[in-house]
Coordinates of all heavy atoms in Angstrom, one line a residue:
M1 N 48.8 -13.4 -132.2 CA 48.5 -12.1 -132.0 C 49.8 -11.3 -132.1 O 50.8 -11.6 -131.6 CB 47.8 -11.9 -130.6 CG 47.5 -10.5 -130.3 SD 46.8 -10.1 -128.7 CE 46.3 -11.5 -128.0
R2 N 49.6 -10.1 -132.8 CA 50.8 -9.2 -133.0 C 50.5 -7.9 -132.2 O 49.5 -7.4 -132.3 CB 51.0 -8.9 -134.5 CG 51.4 -10.1 -135.2 CD 51.6 -9.9 -136.7 NE 52.5 -8.7 -136.9 CZ 53.6 -8.8 -137.5 NH1 54.1 -10.0 -137.9 NH2 54.4 -7.8 -137.6
I3 N 51.5 -7.5 -131.4 CA 51.3 -6.3 -130.6 C 52.1 -5.1 -131.3 O 53.2 -5.2 -131.6 CB 52.0 -6.5 -129.2 CG1 51.4 -7.8 -128.5 CG2 51.8 -5.3 -128.3 CD1 50.0 -7.7 -128.2
T4 N 51.3 -4.0 -131.4 CA 51.9 -2.7 -131.9 C 51.7 -1.7 -130.8 O 50.7 -1.6 -130.2 CB 51.1 -2.3 -133.1 OG1 51.2 -3.3 -134.1 CG2 51.7 -1.0 -133.7
I5 N 52.8 -1.0 -130.5 CA 52.8 0.0 -129.4 C 52.8 1.3 -130.2 O 53.8 1.6 -130.9 CB 54.0 0.0 -128.4 CG1 53.9 -1.4 -127.7 CG2 54.0 1.1 -127.5 CD1 55.1 -1.7 -126.8
C6 N 51.7 2.1 -130.0 CA 51.7 3.5 -130.6 C 51.8 4.5 -129.5 O 51.2 4.5 -128.5 CB 50.4 3.6 -131.3 SG 50.0 2.4 -132.6
A7 N 52.8 5.5 -129.7 CA 53.1 6.4 -128.7 C 53.1 7.8 -129.3 O 53.5 8.1 -130.4 CB 54.4 6.1 -128.0
V8 N 52.6 8.8 -128.5 CA 52.7 10.2 -128.9 C 54.1 10.7 -128.5 O 54.5 10.6 -127.4 CB 51.6 11.1 -128.2 CG1 51.8 12.5 -128.6 CG2 50.2 10.6 -128.7
G9 N 54.8 11.2 -129.5 CA 56.2 11.8 -129.2 C 57.2 10.7 -129.5 O 56.9 9.6 -129.9
R10 N 58.4 11.2 -129.5 CA 59.6 10.3 -129.8 C 60.1 9.7 -128.5 O 60.2 10.3 -127.4 CB 60.7 11.2 -130.4 CG 60.3 11.8 -131.7 CD 60.3 10.7 -132.8 NE 59.8 11.4 -134.1 CZ 59.1 10.8 -134.9 NH1 58.5 9.6 -134.7 NH2 58.7 11.4 -136.0
L11 N 60.4 8.4 -128.6 CA 60.9 7.6 -127.4 C 62.5 7.8 -127.5 O 63.1 6.7 -127.8 CB 60.4 6.2 -127.5 CG 58.9 6.1 -127.3 CD1 58.5 4.7 -127.7 CD2 58.5 6.5 -126.0
R12 N 63.1 8.9 -127.2 CA 64.5 9.0 -127.1 C 65.0 8.4 -125.8 O 64.3 7.9 -125.0 CB 64.8 10.5 -127.1 CG 64.3 11.2 -128.4 CD 64.7 12.7 -128.4 NE 64.1 13.4 -129.5 CZ 63.0 14.0 -129.6 NH1 62.3 14.1 -128.5 NH2 62.6 14.6 -130.6
K13 N 66.4 8.5 -125.7 CA 66.9 8.1 -124.4 C 66.2 8.8 -123.3 O 65.9 10.0 -123.3 CB 68.4 8.4 -124.4 CG 69.2 7.6 -125.4 CD 70.6 7.9 -125.3 CE 71.4 7.1 -126.3 NZ 72.9 7.4 -126.4
G14 N 66.1 8.1 -122.2 CA 65.4 8.7 -121.0 C 64.5 7.6 -120.4 O 64.5 6.5 -120.7
P15 N 63.6 8.1 -119.5 CA 62.8 7.2 -118.7 C 61.8 6.5 -119.6 O 61.5 5.3 -119.4 CB 62.0 8.1 -117.8 CG 62.5 9.5 -117.9 CD 63.6 9.5 -119.0
D16 N 61.2 7.1 -120.6 CA 60.2 6.5 -121.5 C 60.9 5.3 -122.3 O 60.4 4.3 -122.4 CB 59.6 7.5 -122.4 CG 58.6 8.4 -121.7 OD1 58.2 8.1 -120.6 OD2 58.3 9.6 -122.3
A17 N 62.1 5.6 -122.8 CA 62.8 4.6 -123.6 C 63.2 3.4 -122.7 O 63.1 2.3 -123.1 CB 63.9 5.2 -124.3
A18 N 63.6 3.8 -121.5 CA 63.9 2.7 -120.5 C 62.8 1.8 -120.2 O 62.9 0.6 -120.1 CB 64.6 3.3 -119.3
L19 N 61.6 2.4 -120.0 CA 60.4 1.7 -119.6 C 60.0 0.8 -120.8 O 59.6 -0.3 -120.7 CB 59.2 2.6 -119.3 CG 59.4 3.2 -117.9 CD1 58.3 4.4 -117.7 CD2 59.2 2.2 -116.8
L20 N 60.1 1.3 -122.0 CA 59.7 0.6 -123.2 C 60.7 -0.7 -123.3 O 60.2 -1.7 -123.6 CB 59.7 1.4 -124.4 CG 59.4 0.7 -125.7 CD1 58.1 0.1 -125.7 CD2 59.7 1.6 -127.0
A21 N 62.0 -0.4 -123.2 CA 62.9 -1.5 -123.3 C 62.7 -2.6 -122.2 O 62.7 -3.8 -122.6 CB 64.4 -0.9 -123.2
D22 N 62.4 -2.1 -121.0 CA 62.1 -3.1 -120.0 C 60.8 -3.9 -120.3 O 60.7 -5.1 -120.2 CB 61.9 -2.4 -118.6 CG 61.6 -3.4 -117.5 OD1 62.4 -4.3 -117.3 OD2 60.5 -3.2 -116.8
Y23 N 59.7 -3.2 -120.8 CA 58.5 -3.9 -121.2 C 58.7 -4.9 -122.2 O 58.3 -6.0 -122.2 CB 57.5 -2.8 -121.6 CG 56.1 -3.5 -122.1 CD1 55.3 -3.9 -121.3 CD2 55.9 -3.6 -123.5 CE1 54.1 -4.5 -121.7 CE2 54.8 -4.2 -124.0 CZ 53.9 -4.7 -123.0 OH 52.8 -5.3 -123.5
L24 N 59.5 -4.5 -123.3 CA 59.7 -5.4 -124.4 C 60.5 -6.7 -123.9 O 60.3 -7.8 -124.4 CB 60.5 -4.7 -125.6 CG 59.6 -3.7 -126.2 CD1 60.4 -2.9 -127.2 CD2 58.3 -4.2 -126.8
T25 N 61.5 -6.5 -123.1 CA 62.3 -7.6 -122.6 C 61.3 -8.6 -121.7 O 61.4 -9.8 -121.9 CB 63.4 -7.1 -121.6 OG1 64.3 -6.2 -122.4 CG2 64.2 -8.2 -121.0
R26 N 60.5 -8.0 -120.9 CA 59.6 -8.9 -120.1 C 58.6 -9.6 -121.0 O 58.1 -10.6 -120.7 CB 58.8 -7.9 -119.1 CG 59.7 -7.4 -118.0 CD 58.9 -6.5 -117.1 NE 59.7 -5.9 -116.1 CZ 59.2 -5.9 -114.8 NH1 58.1 -6.3 -114.5 NH2 60.0 -5.4 -114.0
F27 N 58.1 -8.9 -122.1 CA 57.1 -9.4 -123.0 C 57.7 -10.6 -123.9 O 56.9 -11.5 -124.1 CB 56.6 -8.4 -123.9 CG 55.7 -8.8 -125.0 CD1 54.3 -9.0 -124.6 CD2 56.2 -9.0 -126.2 CE1 53.5 -9.4 -125.6 CE2 55.3 -9.4 -127.2 CZ 53.9 -9.6 -126.9
E28 N 59.0 -10.5 -124.2 CA 59.5 -11.4 -125.2 C 59.3 -13.0 -125.1 O 58.7 -13.6 -125.8 CB 61.0 -11.1 -125.4 CG 61.5 -11.8 -126.7 CD 63.0 -11.4 -126.9 OE1 63.4 -10.3 -126.4 OE2 63.6 -12.2 -127.6
R29 N 59.8 -13.4 -123.9 CA 59.7 -14.9 -123.7 C 58.3 -15.4 -123.4 O 57.9 -16.2 -124.1 CB 60.7 -15.3 -122.5 CG 62.0 -15.5 -123.0 CD 62.9 -16.2 -122.0 NE 64.2 -15.7 -122.1 CZ 64.9 -15.2 -121.1 NH1 64.5 -15.0 -120.0 NH2 66.2 -14.8 -121.4
P30 N 57.6 -14.8 -122.4 CA 56.2 -15.3 -122.1 C 55.3 -15.1 -123.3 O 54.4 -15.8 -123.5 CB 55.8 -14.7 -120.9 CG 56.7 -13.5 -120.7 CD 58.0 -13.8 -121.5
G31 N 55.5 -13.9 -124.0 CA 54.6 -13.6 -125.1 C 54.6 -14.7 -126.2 O 53.6 -15.1 -126.7
R32 N 55.9 -15.1 -126.6 CA 56.0 -16.1 -127.6 C 55.4 -17.4 -127.2 O 54.8 -18.1 -128.0 CB 57.5 -16.4 -127.9 CG 58.0 -15.5 -129.1 CD 59.4 -16.0 -129.4 NE 60.4 -15.1 -128.7 CZ 61.5 -15.5 -128.2 NH1 61.8 -16.8 -128.3 NH2 62.2 -14.7 -127.5
G33 N 55.4 -17.7 -125.9 CA 54.9 -18.9 -125.4 C 53.4 -19.0 -125.5 O 52.8 -20.1 -125.5
V34 N 52.7 -17.9 -125.6 CA 51.3 -17.9 -125.6 C 50.8 -17.4 -127.0 O 49.6 -17.0 -127.2 CB 50.6 -17.2 -124.5 CG1 50.9 -17.9 -123.2 CG2 51.0 -15.7 -124.5
G35 N 51.7 -17.3 -127.9 CA 51.3 -16.8 -129.3 C 51.2 -15.4 -129.6 O 50.6 -14.9 -130.5
M36 N 51.9 -14.6 -128.7 CA 51.8 -13.1 -129.0 C 53.3 -12.7 -129.5 O 54.3 -13.1 -128.9 CB 51.6 -12.4 -127.6 CG 50.1 -12.5 -127.2 SD 49.6 -11.5 -125.9 CE 50.8 -11.8 -124.6
N37 N 53.2 -11.9 -130.5 CA 54.5 -11.4 -131.1 C 54.5 -9.9 -131.1 O 53.5 -9.3 -131.5 CB 54.7 -11.9 -132.6 CG 54.7 -13.4 -132.6 OD1 55.5 -14.1 -131.9 ND2 53.8 -14.1 -133.3
F38 N 55.7 -9.4 -130.8 CA 55.8 -7.9 -130.9 C 56.0 -7.5 -132.3 O 56.8 -8.1 -133.1 CB 57.1 -7.5 -130.1 CG 57.3 -6.0 -130.2 CD1 56.4 -5.1 -129.6 CD2 58.4 -5.5 -130.9 CE1 56.6 -3.7 -129.8 CE2 58.6 -4.2 -131.1 CZ 57.8 -3.3 -130.5
A39 N 55.1 -6.6 -132.8 CA 55.2 -6.2 -134.2 C 56.1 -4.9 -134.4 O 57.0 -5.0 -135.2 CB 53.7 -5.9 -134.7
R40 N 55.7 -3.8 -133.7 CA 56.6 -2.6 -133.9 C 56.1 -1.5 -133.0 O 55.1 -1.7 -132.2 CB 56.4 -2.0 -135.3 CG 55.0 -1.6 -135.6 CD 54.8 -1.2 -137.0 NE 53.4 -0.8 -137.3 CZ 53.1 0.6 -137.4 NH1 53.9 1.5 -137.3 NH2 51.8 0.9 -137.6
V41 N 56.9 -0.5 -132.9 CA 56.6 0.8 -132.1 C 56.4 1.8 -133.2 O 57.2 2.0 -134.0 CB 57.8 1.2 -131.2 CG1 57.5 2.5 -130.5 CG2 58.0 0.1 -130.1
A42 N 55.3 2.5 -133.1 CA 54.9 3.6 -133.9 C 54.8 4.9 -133.1 O 54.1 5.0 -132.2 CB 53.5 3.3 -134.6
E43 N 55.7 5.8 -133.5 CA 55.8 7.1 -132.8 C 55.0 8.2 -133.6 O 55.3 8.2 -134.9 CB 57.2 7.5 -132.6 CG 57.9 6.6 -131.8 CD 59.4 6.8 -131.7 OE1 60.0 7.1 -132.8 OE2 60.1 6.6 -130.7
V44 N 54.2 8.9 -133.1 CA 53.4 9.9 -133.8 C 53.7 11.3 -133.2 O 53.8 11.4 -132.0 CB 51.9 9.7 -133.9 CG1 51.7 8.3 -134.6 CG2 51.2 9.6 -132.6
E45 N 53.7 12.3 -134.0 CA 53.8 13.7 -133.5 C 52.8 14.6 -134.3 O 53.2 15.2 -135.3 CB 55.2 14.2 -133.8 CG 56.2 13.5 -132.8 CD 57.6 14.2 -132.7 OE1 57.6 15.4 -132.4 OE2 58.5 13.5 -133.0
P46 N 51.6 14.6 -133.9 CA 50.5 15.3 -134.7 C 50.8 16.8 -134.5 O 51.2 17.3 -133.5 CB 49.3 14.9 -134.1 CG 49.6 14.5 -132.7 CD 51.0 13.9 -132.7
K47 N 50.4 17.6 -135.5 CA 50.5 19.0 -135.5 C 49.1 19.5 -135.9 O 48.5 19.2 -136.9 CB 51.4 19.6 -136.6 CG 52.9 19.0 -136.5 CD 53.6 19.5 -135.3 CE 55.1 19.0 -135.3 NZ 55.6 19.0 -134.1
P48 N 48.6 20.4 -135.0 CA 48.9 20.8 -133.6 C 48.7 19.6 -132.7 O 47.9 18.7 -133.0 CB 48.1 22.0 -133.3 CG 46.9 21.8 -134.1 CD 47.3 21.1 -135.4
A49 N 49.4 19.6 -131.6 CA 49.3 18.5 -130.6 C 48.2 18.7 -129.8 O 48.3 19.2 -128.6 CB 50.7 18.4 -129.9
T50 N 47.0 18.3 -130.2 CA 45.8 18.4 -129.3 C 45.3 17.0 -129.1 O 45.6 16.1 -129.9 CB 44.7 19.2 -130.1 OG1 44.4 18.5 -131.3 CG2 45.2 20.6 -130.3
P51 N 44.5 16.7 -128.0 CA 44.0 15.4 -127.9 C 43.3 14.8 -129.0 O 43.6 13.6 -129.3 CB 43.2 15.5 -126.5 CG 43.8 16.6 -125.8 CD 44.3 17.6 -126.9
P52 N 42.5 15.5 -129.7 CA 41.8 14.8 -130.9 C 42.7 14.5 -132.0 O 42.6 13.4 -132.6 CB 40.8 15.9 -131.3 CG 40.5 16.8 -130.1 CD 41.9 16.8 -129.4
N53 N 43.8 15.3 -132.2 CA 44.7 15.1 -133.3 C 45.7 13.8 -132.9 O 46.0 13.1 -133.8 CB 45.6 16.3 -133.6 CG 44.9 17.4 -134.3 OD1 43.7 17.2 -134.8 ND2 45.5 18.6 -134.4
E54 N 45.9 13.8 -131.6 CA 46.8 12.7 -131.1 C 46.0 11.4 -131.3 O 46.6 10.4 -131.7 CB 47.2 12.9 -129.7 CG 48.1 14.0 -129.5 CD 48.5 14.3 -128.0 OE1 47.8 13.7 -127.1 OE2 49.3 15.2 -127.8
A55 N 44.8 11.4 -130.9 CA 44.0 10.2 -131.0 C 43.9 9.7 -132.5 O 44.0 8.5 -132.8 CB 42.6 10.4 -130.5
T56 N 43.6 10.7 -133.4 CA 43.6 10.3 -134.8 C 44.8 9.7 -135.4 O 44.8 8.7 -136.0 CB 43.1 11.6 -135.7 OG1 41.8 12.1 -135.2 CG2 43.1 11.2 -137.1
A57 N 45.9 10.3 -135.0 CA 47.3 9.9 -135.4 C 47.6 8.5 -134.9 O 48.1 7.6 -135.6 CB 48.3 10.9 -135.0
L58 N 47.2 8.3 -133.6 CA 47.4 6.9 -133.1 C 46.6 5.9 -133.7 O 47.1 4.8 -134.0 CB 47.2 7.0 -131.5 CG 48.2 7.8 -130.7 CD1 47.5 7.9 -129.3 CD2 49.5 7.1 -130.6
L59 N 45.3 6.2 -134.0 CA 44.5 5.2 -134.6 C 44.9 4.8 -136.0 O 44.8 3.7 -136.5 CB 43.0 5.6 -134.6 CG 42.3 5.7 -133.2 CD1 41.0 6.3 -133.3 CD2 42.2 4.3 -132.7
R60 N 45.5 5.9 -136.7 CA 46.0 5.6 -138.0 C 47.1 4.6 -138.1 O 47.4 3.9 -139.1 CB 46.5 6.9 -138.7 CG 45.4 7.7 -139.2 CD 46.0 8.9 -140.1 NE 44.9 9.8 -140.4 CZ 45.0 11.1 -140.1 NH1 46.2 11.6 -139.6 NH2 44.1 11.9 -140.4
Q61 N 47.9 4.5 -136.9 CA 49.1 3.6 -137.0 C 48.7 2.2 -136.6 O 49.4 1.2 -136.7 CB 50.1 4.2 -135.9 CG 50.7 5.4 -136.3 CD 51.5 5.2 -137.5 OE1 52.2 4.2 -137.7 NE2 51.5 6.2 -138.4
A62 N 47.4 2.0 -136.0 CA 47.0 0.6 -135.6 C 46.6 -0.2 -136.8 O 45.9 0.4 -137.7 CB 45.9 0.8 -134.7
P63 N 46.9 -1.4 -136.9 CA 46.5 -2.3 -138.0 C 45.0 -2.4 -138.1 O 44.3 -2.3 -137.1 CB 47.2 -3.6 -137.7 CG 48.2 -3.4 -136.7 CD 47.7 -2.1 -135.9
D64 N 44.5 -2.7 -139.2 CA 43.0 -2.9 -139.5 C 42.6 -4.1 -138.5 O 43.3 -5.1 -138.5 CB 42.8 -3.2 -140.9 CG 42.9 -2.0 -141.8 OD1 42.9 -0.9 -141.3 OD2 43.1 -2.2 -143.1
G65 N 41.5 -3.9 -138.0 CA 40.9 -4.9 -137.1 C 41.5 -5.1 -135.7 O 41.2 -6.0 -135.0
A66 N 42.4 -4.2 -135.4 CA 43.1 -4.2 -134.1 C 42.3 -3.9 -132.9 O 41.2 -3.1 -133.1 CB 44.3 -3.2 -134.1
V67 N 42.5 -4.5 -131.8 CA 41.8 -4.0 -130.5 C 42.7 -2.9 -129.9 O 43.9 -3.0 -129.9 CB 41.8 -5.3 -129.5 CG1 41.3 -4.8 -128.2 CG2 41.0 -6.4 -130.2
H68 N 42.0 -1.8 -129.6 CA 42.7 -0.7 -129.1 C 42.6 -0.6 -127.6 O 41.6 -0.9 -126.9 CB 42.1 0.6 -129.7 CG 42.1 0.6 -131.1 ND1 40.9 1.0 -131.9 CD2 43.0 0.4 -132.1 CE1 41.2 0.9 -133.1 NE2 42.4 0.5 -133.3
L69 N 43.8 -0.3 -127.0 CA 43.9 -0.3 -125.5 C 44.7 1.0 -125.2 O 45.9 1.0 -125.6 CB 44.6 -1.5 -125.0 CG 44.8 -1.6 -123.4 CD1 43.4 -1.6 -122.8 CD2 45.6 -2.8 -123.1
A70 N 44.1 1.9 -124.5 CA 44.7 3.2 -124.2 C 45.3 3.1 -122.7 O 44.5 2.8 -121.9 CB 43.9 4.3 -124.4
L71 N 46.6 3.4 -122.5 CA 47.0 3.4 -121.2 C 47.4 4.9 -120.9 O 48.0 5.6 -121.7 CB 48.4 2.6 -121.1 CG 48.1 1.1 -121.5 CD1 49.5 0.4 -121.4 CD2 47.1 0.4 -120.6
A72 N 47.0 5.3 -119.6 CA 47.2 6.8 -119.2 C 47.7 6.7 -117.8 O 47.1 6.0 -117.0 CB 46.0 7.6 -119.4
E73 N 48.6 7.6 -117.5 CA 49.1 7.6 -116.1 C 48.1 8.0 -115.1 O 48.1 7.5 -113.9 CB 50.4 8.5 -115.9 CG 50.0 10.0 -116.2 CD 51.2 10.8 -116.2 OE1 52.3 10.5 -115.7 OE2 51.1 11.9 -116.8
R74 N 47.0 8.7 -115.5 CA 45.9 9.1 -114.5 C 44.7 8.2 -114.7 O 43.7 8.4 -114.2 CB 45.6 10.5 -114.8 CG 46.7 11.5 -114.4 CD 46.3 12.9 -114.6 NE 47.3 13.7 -114.9 CZ 48.0 14.0 -116.0 NH1 47.4 13.5 -117.1 NH2 49.0 14.8 -116.1
G75 N 44.9 7.1 -115.5 CA 43.8 6.1 -115.7 C 43.5 5.3 -114.5 O 44.2 5.3 -113.5
R76 N 42.4 4.5 -114.6 CA 42.0 3.6 -113.6 C 42.9 2.4 -113.6 O 43.3 1.7 -114.6 CB 40.6 3.1 -113.8 CG 40.0 2.2 -112.8 CD 38.5 2.0 -112.9 NE 38.2 1.3 -114.2 CZ 38.0 0.0 -114.2 NH1 38.1 -0.7 -113.1 NH2 37.7 -0.6 -115.4
T77 N 43.4 1.9 -112.5 CA 44.2 0.8 -112.3 C 43.4 -0.5 -112.3 O 42.4 -0.6 -111.7 CB 45.0 0.8 -111.0 OG1 45.8 1.9 -111.0 CG2 45.9 -0.4 -110.8
L78 N 43.8 -1.5 -113.1 CA 43.1 -2.8 -113.3 C 43.9 -3.8 -112.7 O 45.0 -3.8 -112.7 CB 42.9 -3.0 -114.8 CG 42.0 -2.0 -115.6 CD1 42.0 -2.4 -117.0 CD2 40.6 -1.8 -115.0
S79 N 43.2 -4.9 -112.1 CA 43.8 -6.1 -111.7 C 44.2 -6.9 -113.0 O 43.7 -6.7 -114.1 CB 42.9 -6.9 -110.9 OG 41.8 -7.4 -111.7
S80 N 45.1 -7.8 -112.8 CA 45.5 -8.7 -114.0 C 44.3 -9.4 -114.6 O 44.2 -9.3 -115.9 CB 46.5 -9.7 -113.6 OG 47.8 -9.1 -113.2
P81 N 43.4 -10.0 -113.9 CA 42.1 -10.6 -114.5 C 41.3 -9.5 -115.2 O 40.8 -9.8 -116.4 CB 41.4 -11.3 -113.4 CG 42.4 -11.5 -112.4 CD 43.5 -10.3 -112.5
E82 N 41.2 -8.3 -114.7 CA 40.4 -7.3 -115.4 C 41.1 -6.9 -116.7 O 40.4 -6.7 -117.6 CB 40.2 -6.1 -114.4 CG 39.3 -6.3 -113.3 CD 39.3 -5.0 -112.4 OE1 40.4 -4.5 -112.0 OE2 38.2 -4.6 -112.0
F83 N 42.4 -6.7 -116.6 CA 43.1 -6.3 -117.8 C 43.1 -7.3 -118.9 O 42.9 -7.0 -120.0 CB 44.6 -6.0 -117.4 CG 45.4 -5.4 -118.5 CD1 45.3 -4.1 -118.9 CD2 46.3 -6.3 -119.2 CE1 46.0 -3.6 -119.9 CE2 47.1 -5.8 -120.2 CZ 47.0 -4.4 -120.6
A84 N 43.1 -8.7 -118.5 CA 43.1 -9.7 -119.5 C 41.7 -9.8 -120.1 O 41.5 -10.0 -121.3 CB 43.4 -11.0 -118.7

């Protein structure tokens, strides 16, 4: 399985870039052990920046046949088994 991270906006230096770097470091070793590989980070900046345009731009970056998972800071928190 290959993992693609699609994000709205640029992941410049700062908290978002630090979180991404931490996530990728944590993902690398255990991911390889269970057959998951990191593919790429896709950054999109739709014009105008509206939720429908953002969704369309994000979906265009996802590979064909991909399972889509949206993460949002105000979303529902899942347990590890629920997330899996």
